[in-house]
Amino acid sequence: MKTRAQFAFWVAAMVVPAVVVMSGLIAYIAWEHRTSADARYLERVRAMSIAVDTELEGSIRVLRALSLAPEIDMRHPEAFVERLGRYQATQPLWTVIALGDPEWKNVAAVGRGGVSARRPAIEPRTLMQIAQTRKPSVSALIRTDERHYETQVTVPVIRDGTMTGILMVSIDPKAWLELLNEYPSIPGATMVLLDQDGAIIARTLNHETWVGTRPSGTFRQSWREAMEGTNRSKGLEGQPFYSAYSRSSRTGWTLATGIPVESVDEGLDRKLFIAAGAAIVSICIAVLLAFFFARRLEARA
């Protein structure tokens, strides 16, 4: 009986600390793996958000330079069409470039190939904002008809401190999709670009299905609470994701990514299997040592 008690004491003395330590180690491995994954994905969406901002800033710079052209005559904007066409040809993102008066009534527009285009409708919120601030503006996603969406970049034409006109370019969501696809991505990952209201501008997975819609669930809640972050969410197709997002302070647009949970946890499973195997071996050694010490104490007694 005494031997059994001693054996139980040594098992408890050696096994319990080993179990505690190994449990803590396994928990730490899981935490460190997911934390480092979150950090990588957050850095990626930050970089992509900067890339999108760079494209938008480039368009704004070109439009600002164009707005300073002395030959702009808002009484006859159609006389500026040839110049608009030359600028349009240098910008692969642009679908249409247009010049109009502050009320957007007298407008001249040029599409790709230098072909005259019908007057594009400008978003009322954008028109109001540019009239109040007299600063460049980036619109939310605009639905122009049942099957077509676009985004708009507008720059005021200022003469002697007065806004005399507006330069505007429209950019098709597919142009943003092409930009997202230009950057290498993690296998199985989905990239999505959202406007200021959370509408999908471009999405690398099933773009045509989801453009113009808004994500829901935990991702939408997180996106509204902070400028950037990571979380666990469910994709629009129902798959569980590790998600990261970063919102631009300049435009209000958000770049987000979702990586399937199984892709992220695949490496974690291997790490945990190794750690669990080490824990089992350690416990077995602890039991053998406990038995050894218990036998030695019994022999001395």
Side-chain angles (χ1 to χ4, degrees), residues 1-42:
M1 183 65 70
K2 184 177 179 180
T3 301
R4 290 182 180 178
Q6 290 174 339
F7 178 70
F9 169 79
W10 286 107
V11 167
M14 294 185 176
V15 172
V16 171
V19 170
V20 171
V21 170
M22 295 309 297
S23 297
L25 177 61
I26 290 173
Y28 173 77
I29 290 173
W31 173 84
E32 191 277 334
H33 178 88
R34 288 166 178 153
T35 300
S36 62
D38 285 342
R40 290 196 307 272
Y41 305 146
L42 186 56

Side-chain angles (χ1 to χ4, degrees), residues 1 4 15 58 61 85 93 101 132 156 159 169 253-254 259:
M1 183 65 70
R4 290 182 180 178
V15 172
R61 283 195 300 271
L93 278 181
D101 59 13
Q132 292 175 347
R159 294 290 185 271
V169 294
W253 287 11
T254 300
I259 300 88

Side-chain angles (χ1 to χ4, degrees), residues 167-221:
L167 278 164
M168 184 269 280
V169 294
S170 64
I171 303 175
D172 191 281
K174 289 182 180 178
W176 295 117
L177 178 61
E178 290 175 4
L179 178 66
L180 297 184
N181 284 327
E182 285 179 2
Y183 291 82
S185 62
I186 301 166
T190 298
M191 298 291 292
V192 59
L193 179 63
L194 308 171
D195 71 6
Q196 299 93 325
D197 302 321
I200 294 175
I201 298 173
R203 188 172 186 261
T204 56
L205 179 63
N206 299 328
H207 168 81
E208 294 294 342
T209 300
W210 301 111
V211 62
T213 63
R214 289 173 170 79
S216 58
T218 55
F219 174 77
R220 183 172 184 176
Q221 181 180 353

Side-chain angles (χ1 to χ4, degrees), residues 73-82 84 99 106-109:
D73 183 356
M74 295 314 307
R75 293 170 299 178
H76 304 286
E78 65 279 358
F80 205 60
V81 165
E82 183 180 351
L84 293 176
L99 171 66
N106 188 17
V107 180

